[in-house]
């Protein structure tokens, strides 16, 4: 299964978000996902299996508990694939950052009684 097929499902993306915060038991994951998505425990287990088989999550036994964690390698592959598209949004984000800084500077200048266009006191 392709990485984007795995990540295309909102339940699996949410599970990865939970696991990104740290290792979690299958019970913890199931409780959150069941409450947020209204799906059954077997359905949550199926999503965990897809993540495990896709290499996005690992599992280890601790007594009777199964602890899941994120595996970074497939996410790095997705990141490399996204590299070809970054240029589409990075310039826009840079421009947005510039405009936000200008707006902040204008507000500060206006609060001090200055003219934000010229930098002179009014």
């Amino acid at each position: 299964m392709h990485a984007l097929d795995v990540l295309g499902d909102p339940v699996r993306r949410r599970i990865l978000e939970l696991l990104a915060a740290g290792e979690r038991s299958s019970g913890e994951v199931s409780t959150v996902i069941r409450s947020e998505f209204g799906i059954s425990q077997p359905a949550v287990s199926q999503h965990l299996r897809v993540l495990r088989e896709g290499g996005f999550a690992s599992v280890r036994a601790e007594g009777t508990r199964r602890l899941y964690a994120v595996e970074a390698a497939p996410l790095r592959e997705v990141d490399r694939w996204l590299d070809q598209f970054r240029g589409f949004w990075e310039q826009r984000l840079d421009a947005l950052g510039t405009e936000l800084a200008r707006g902040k500077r204008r507000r500060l200048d206006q609060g001090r009684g200055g003219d934000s266009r010229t930098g002179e006191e009014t």
Side-chain angles (χ1 to χ4, degrees), residues 18-77:
L18 292 170
L19 298 178
E23 192 175 60
R24 299 204 184 245
S25 71
S26 58
E28 290 175 286
V29 171
S30 183
T31 298
V32 171
I33 297 301
R34 290 174 66 199
S35 70
E36 291 181 7
F37 290 91
I39 62 175
S40 67
Q41 187 278 326
V44 175
S45 293
Q46 180 66 26
H47 284 292
L48 286 167
R49 186 174 72 76
V50 169
L51 289 170
R52 219 177 39 248
E53 290 177 356
F56 284 85
S58 61
V59 64
R60 70 179 180 86
E62 185 177 88
T64 59
R65 297 178 353 145
R66 299 292 172 258
L67 299 172
Y68 284 83
V70 169
E71 288 295 324
L75 295 171
R76 282 192 293 269
E77 290 176 30

Side-chain angles (χ1 to χ4, degrees), residues 7-19:
L7 297 175
D9 186 279
V11 173
R12 290 191 286 268
R13 286 194 310 269
R14 180 62 177 124
I15 291 171
L16 286 175
E17 289 170 0
L18 292 170
L19 298 178

Side-chain angles (χ1 to χ4, degrees), residues 90-108 116:
E90 284 181 344
Q91 289 177 332
R92 290 180 179 100
L93 289 174
D94 289 345
L96 175 62
T98 299
E99 289 303 314
L100 290 172
R102 281 186 187 145
K104 183 177 180 180
R105 195 167 42 250
R106 282 186 195 124
R107 285 189 305 277
L108 289 172
S116 63

